[in-house]
Each structure stands twice: as structure tokens, then as C-alpha cells.
Amino acid sequence: DVKVTQSSRYLVKRTGEKVFLECVQDMDHENMFWYRQDPGLGLRLIYFSYDVKMKEKGDIPEGYSVSREKKERFSLILESASTNQTSMYLCASSQWRGSNNEQFFGPGTRLTVL
Amino acid sequence: GDSVTQMEGPVTLSEEAFLTINCTYTATGYPSLFWYVQYPGEGLQLLLKATKADDKGSNKGFEATYRKETTSFHLEKGSVQVSDSAVYFCALEGVDSSYKLIFGSGTRLLVRP
């Protein structure tokens, strides 16, 4: 069974802390994505990567960075967490750079910043 | 830019009722269209998709038809079950969006026994 796993289901951090969210996929997918999910706003793309060490900004990259050192792992970094980054974070992966490819999602990490 | 608009929820239905969740989009060209479902406590999973005008996607009793003339991709099911309670997201992949998906805001469905 194909899987995208995220390091934590729930995380509580304090303002100003550096936060790492980890995502691992076992499908040998080229593309990986980080979204945040907020009520009434749907999913918004933060960053994505189409290859190892490659990254592109999504729609809301401010306050975030990413790292992809290995094909199966894509990390989201909050350099200095703020309360407005309290949200559900979803990682996804897909196979090709071509179109119409299904994205597979992890279960999400609910981050609370106090 | 490209965008997706979904009807606001929550939608509350009794078991065996007919379901429609409206979705309209704005995009150039002919985008691919998707419905994803998120069950409680889980990530999103693909429910169905359509890649060209007049295509009908179907899965698990759900259907949606790609209507270019009305720029719509409404989700329907003839008889819902309690187990269909979830949040449903309409999404598009634009012609020039580089395999990124643009999601609607989601519609929560609650089915009562």
C-alpha cells in the first residue's frame, strides 16, 4: 500500500521556535508538495519540489522554507514560528511532471503555535 | 488567475438522499478537474477526475461531469450513506500550472442515519 507519512500528527510550539515538519513517501515520486489547510480557505500551496534539491515557491511561501536532500523526504521549516502559522499542514507527492497525475496525501500535522 | 469556487457547507442529509455539491472554476484553456475527499482524521484522497470537456468521472457511486460551457464540475451521488460523511474538495490543474493543484474551500457533508 502506497504511503505518505508525516512525522507528527499534533505539534505544539512556542512563538519564535524553529519548527521542522517532515514528510516521507515510499512511492519513488518525483514531485512533493506542502500545503496548509485552514477553514474556509481550502488548501493553499506553500512550496513544492520536482526533484532532489529543487524547490519552487507556491502561493504562500512567506515565513517558510523547505529542504529536499533525498528523493523520498521533503521537509518544511518554520524559521521562527508565529501564531498565524497555527494550521493543519499536509504533505503530498505525485509521480510525474506531466499533467493529470494524482497527488497522494499524508494524514496531516496539526500545528499549534502559542 | 485560475480559481475554484465550491458551495459552502455544511451540507446535512439523511441517509439515501440525493447529493449535489456545486463546483465552478475559472481557468484558461482546458484544465483537468478533480474531486478529493477527506475523511475525519485523514489526509485527502482522490475520489474522481476528468481531463477533458464532457468527460464523466465516477467512483464509489459518485459522479461528476466536466461542463466546459458552464465551467462546472458538480459532484453527485444518488443515495448517500453515513460513511460518506467527509469534506469534499474540488480542484483543478491548469494548462500552465506545472502540475500544481488549485483547491476550492471544501464542503463538509454530514449524513445522518
Side-chain angles (χ1 to χ4, degrees):
Chain A
D1 198 15
V2 294
K3 269 193 175 171
V4 178
T5 56
Q6 296 183 228
S7 51
S8 304
R9 293 299 299 270
Y10 299 93
L11 209 52
V12 179
K13 296 292 182 180
R14 297 208 173 272
T15 302
E17 281 193 74
K18 190 169 186 176
V19 181
F20 292 87
L21 303 183
E22 306 285 341
C23 175
V24 177
Q25 50 96 2
D26 66 359
M27 295 167 280
D28 201 35
H29 283 170
E30 284 75 15
N31 308 322
M32 296 188 75
F33 307 82
W34 275 107
Y35 295 91
R36 62 176 283 176
Q37 180 182 4
D38 299 288
L41 297 178
L43 276 72
R44 293 178 291 168
L45 182 64
I46 304 171
Y47 267 97
F48 68 102
S49 168
Y50 52 87
D51 202 351
V52 175
K53 298 191 186 294
M54 304 303 290
K55 60 184 179 184
E56 288 195 24
K57 293 180 180 179
D59 300 316
I60 52 165
E62 296 78 19
Y64 303 94
S65 62
V66 290
S67 172
R68 193 166 180 202
E69 297 296 319
K70 293 184 178 181
K71 190 176 185 180
E72 68 272 17
R73 187 179 299 269
F74 192 36
S75 302
L76 180 70
I77 303 156
L78 288 65
E79 294 289 342
S80 177
S82 63
T83 55
N84 63 13
Q85 292 178 309
T86 291
S87 187
M88 171 72 85
Y89 290 88
L90 293 170
C91 176
S93 70
S94 68
Q95 186 172 18
W96 269 125
R97 294 189 71 177
S99 62
N100 311 320
N101 290 297
E102 178 179 356
Q103 289 190 17
F104 292 84
F105 284 81
T109 296
R110 185 168 293 282
L111 172 66
T112 301
V113 183
L114 303 176
Chain B
D2 296 351
S3 65
V4 175
T5 302
Q6 285 182 240
M7 61 188 289
E8 287 194 25
V11 174
T12 303
L13 295 173
S14 297
E15 205 165 22
E16 300 184 3
F18 184 86
L19 168 71
T20 300
I21 299 178
N22 290 337
C23 171
T24 57
Y25 68 89
T26 301
T28 54
Y30 291 83
S32 296
L33 300 172
F34 305 82
W35 277 101
Y36 279 80
V37 59
Q38 184 179 34
Y39 297 105
E42 299 183 12
L44 279 70
Q45 56 186 272
L46 180 66
L47 181 60
L48 53 83
K49 70 178 183 183
T51 58
K52 59 183 186 293
D54 300 324
D55 262 5
K56 178 184 282 188
S58 61
N59 187 24
K60 299 181 181 180
F62 291 88
E63 293 183 340
T65 301
Y66 188 157
R67 303 284 189 201
K68 179 65 176 174
E69 64 277 11
T70 54
T71 62
S72 65
F73 193 55
H74 304 322
L75 182 68
E76 296 181 336
K77 187 176 186 183
S79 176
V80 294
Q81 306 300 312
V82 172
S83 58
D84 294 326
S85 298
V87 181
Y88 293 82
F89 291 91
C90 185
L92 72 81
E93 182 184 86
V95 173
D96 58 353
S97 67
S98 302
Y99 44 88
K100 295 183 289 182
L101 292 176
I102 296 169
F103 286 87
S105 57
T107 302
R108 182 175 298 278
L109 170 66
L110 177 61
V111 181
R112 300 193 182 280

